[in-house]
């Protein structure tokens, strides 16, 4: 929840966002209130000629005309893009309306009072209607509304005192005005508090939603998430993808020699380095399987030549072997297998969902990895034919792959260890 200090959010950026949001949400109510006020003013204008003398009818027509123009201009200003950021428009317009209303009330009472000449302090057209209007329009600005009430009182006294004696009528009128103003101030404060509470809750929920969405998008492609939300099946076919399978050499023996914490740090360093290389080369991480890393070029992440992207990614990962050895404190090696061809991708199941890839291309990449030299790359003939950058690969030769048979394979030797991974403290 956002912290509040002295009636405002502690963070100025949050306060500004709240002011903009609150005023934007109140816009329909301000417009409706303004239209209702104009209709009331029109009703008074129609009734005036029936009860008021021709001379005062002309004066009232002028004042009501000014009030309608001012109220209409005020409502029109709410359709301006800059209105939300300018609460001074509400302040000035409503203060002007109150000023006109005070003079209208004096004329109306002069007409209605025949014997009791000292009732000017009592309003005929209720000022509280405008005060309620201001309480809503300035709800997120309680200090500005308090200032508006003070100026409204000043206008009230300046129009009444010259024609009203300091008797019981004035004091009762002041009590009536102040009690009404107090209620409007309380309403303004209540709207402000409830609005801030609702906004803070909405901000917290939005922050939590963003975290959850980031987590979901970290596990699933954006397009897949949209289809899952719509209840659709997520199944895709990619005709020309390159699958990369990277495995750590001698991991089982290494696990026997080092502590579990040290082993986790080593795997974390390896996977984080591979993640950065994948992001740099437009390759999509599919998953980790124990100490193995499976990635694909040409799947959900768009890449140009998938074979070139896969080879560049593999070389970048192998350049970090030297630092992995430093973290492990012993010899560490990686093998990479790459095969290009069609794959099928999609999401299966309803729990612990992940976007996965299937097909012979994936299996072939895993088989090729076992033939690669330590800290080297093995690619299939299909990847070699697709690739533009074939530097470093030797002559083709046949390898016997389990479940596949004799296969034409190209090998590239160990890469120089040039990349420095993030510093990781060694666990004894």
């Amino acid at each position: 929840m956002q912290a509040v200090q002295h009636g405002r959010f502690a963070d100025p950026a949050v306060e500004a966002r709240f002011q903009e949001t609150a005023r934007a949400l109140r816009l329909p109510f301000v417009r409706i209130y303004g239209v209702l006020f104009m209709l009331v003013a029109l009703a008074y204008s129609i009734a005036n000629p029936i009860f008021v003398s021709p001379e005062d009818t002309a004066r009232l027509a002028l004042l009501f005309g000014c009030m309608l123009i001012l109220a209409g201009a005020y409502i029109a200003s709410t359709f301006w893009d800059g209105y939300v950021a300018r609460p001074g428009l509400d302040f000035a317009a409503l203060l002007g309306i109150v000023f006109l209303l005070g003079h209208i009330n004096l004329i109306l009472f002069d007409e209605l009072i025949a014997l009791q000449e000292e009732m000017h302090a009592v309003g005929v057209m209720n000022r509280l209607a405008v005060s309620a209007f201001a309480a809503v329009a300035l709800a997120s600005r309680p200090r500005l509304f308090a200032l508006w009430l003070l100026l409204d009182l000043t206008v009230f006294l300046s129009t009444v005192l010259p024609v009203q004696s300091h008797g019981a009528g004035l004091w009762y009128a002041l009590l009536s005005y102040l009690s009404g103003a107090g209620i409007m101030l309380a309403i303004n404060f209540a709207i402000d508090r409830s609005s801030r509470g609702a906004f803070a809750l909405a901000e917290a929920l939005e922050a939590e939603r963003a975290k959850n969405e980031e987590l979901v998008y970290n596990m699933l492609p954006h397009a897949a998430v949209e289809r899952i939300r719509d209840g659709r099946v997520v199944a895709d076919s990619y005709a020309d993808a390159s699958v990369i399978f990277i495995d750590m050499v001698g991991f089982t023996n290494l696990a026997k020699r080092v502590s579990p914490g040290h082993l986790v740090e080593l795997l974390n360093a390896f996977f984080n380095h591979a993640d950065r290389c994948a992001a740099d080369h437009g390759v999509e991480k599919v998953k980790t399987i124990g100490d193995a890393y499976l990635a694909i070029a040409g799947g959900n992440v768009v890449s140009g030549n998938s074979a070139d992207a896969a080879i560049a990614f593999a070389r970048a990962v192998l350049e970090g072997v030297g630092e992995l050895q430093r973290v492990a404190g012993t010899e560490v090696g990686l093998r990479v297998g790459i095969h290009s061809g069609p794959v099928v991708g999609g999401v299966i199941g309803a729990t612990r969902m992940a976007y996965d890839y299937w097909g012979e291309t994936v299996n072939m990449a895993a088989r090729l990895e076992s033939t690669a030299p330590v800290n080297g790359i093995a690619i299939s003939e299909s990847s070699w034919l697709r690739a533009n950058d074939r530097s470093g690969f030797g002559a083709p030769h046949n390898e016997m792959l389990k479940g596949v048979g004799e296969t034409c394979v190209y090998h590239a030797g160990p890469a120089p260890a040039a990349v420095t991974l993030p510093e990781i403290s060694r666990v004894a």
Side-chain angles (χ1 to χ4, degrees), residues 71-374:
Y74 171 50
I75 295 171
S77 72
T78 63
F79 292 92
W80 174 42
D81 292 338
Y83 166 80
V84 172
R86 291 169 175 79
L89 289 173
D90 306 279
F91 185 90
L94 294 171
L95 193 62
I97 289 173
V98 164
F99 176 78
L100 293 170
L101 184 59
H103 287 281
I104 288 170
N105 278 335
L106 290 180
I107 296 173
L108 289 175
F109 263 100
D110 276 338
E111 287 287 337
L112 295 177
I113 299 173
L115 299 175
Q116 301 177 9
E117 297 181 356
E118 303 211 350
M119 291 182 63
H120 296 88
V122 182
V124 175
M125 192 175 180
N126 201 334
R127 301 175 70 95
L128 287 180
V130 185
S131 298
F133 195 165
V136 174
L138 300 174
S140 56
R141 305 270 184 167
R143 295 179 183 177
L144 192 62
F145 178 64
L147 176 61
W148 185 91
L149 283 177
L150 181 61
L151 292 177
D152 180 35
L153 177 61
T154 303
V155 172
F156 172 72
L157 293 176
S158 66
T159 54
V160 167
L161 288 180
V163 293
Q164 175 72 44
S165 66
H166 292 242
L170 176 62
W171 291 108
Y172 277 114
L174 282 173
L175 286 173
S176 175
Y177 175 87
L178 292 175
S179 62
I183 291 172
M184 292 305 163
L185 193 61
I187 291 173
N188 177 269
F189 181 79
I191 294 175
D192 178 62
R193 291 296 90 191
S194 59
S195 297
R196 288 180 184 277
F199 180 80
L201 179 60
E203 286 273 291
L205 290 174
E206 176 60 25
E208 194 63 31
R209 186 201 64 79
K211 288 180 183 178
N212 292 337
E213 192 165 86
E214 182 181 359
L215 182 61
V216 170
Y217 284 139
N218 191 42
M219 296 186 297
L220 297 169
H222 285 227
V225 173
E226 297 305 319
R227 280 181 283 175
I228 292 171
R229 284 175 176 169
D230 295 340
R232 290 179 285 164
V233 175
V234 180
D236 303 299
S237 177
Y238 303 94
D240 186 16
S242 295
V243 178
I244 311 103
F245 195 89
I246 308 175
D247 195 23
M248 191 173 288
V249 180
F251 181 78
T252 302
N253 292 330
L254 182 65
K256 296 176 182 178
R257 301 199 308 269
V258 302
S259 67
H262 190 185
L263 194 66
V264 170
E265 288 183 353
L266 173 61
L267 286 175
N268 191 52
F270 166 37
F271 294 149
N272 284 342
H273 171 55
D275 286 346
R276 287 190 295 272
C277 293
D280 291 341
H281 292 86
V283 170
E284 176 188 354
K285 173 185 178 180
V286 179
K287 60 184 174 182
T288 59
I289 311 166
D291 63 321
Y293 189 98
L294 180 62
I296 186 170
N300 280 295
V301 178
V302 178
S303 61
N305 185 311
S306 67
D308 282 338
I311 293 169
F313 161 70
R315 286 171 173 165
V317 172
L318 291 174
E319 286 175 356
V321 168
E323 184 63 17
L324 288 176
Q325 291 177 348
R326 189 195 66 77
V327 172
T330 185
E331 289 295 319
V332 174
L334 301 176
R335 288 194 180 100
V336 183
I338 300 173
H339 180 57
S340 302
V343 295
V344 173
V347 179
I348 295 178
T351 60
R352 301 186 68 179
M353 292 184 294
Y355 194 98
D356 207 348
Y357 291 91
W358 305 275
E360 184 60 28
T361 302
V362 179
N363 297 331
M364 191 74 170
R367 298 284 185 269
L368 286 167
E369 173 271 320
S370 63
T371 74
V374 177

Side-chain angles (χ1 to χ4, degrees), residues 2-5 8-17:
Q2 298 291 343
V4 178
Q5 294 180 353
R8 299 171 65 87
F9 289 110
D11 187 345
V14 175
E15 176 66 23
R17 196 160 60 249

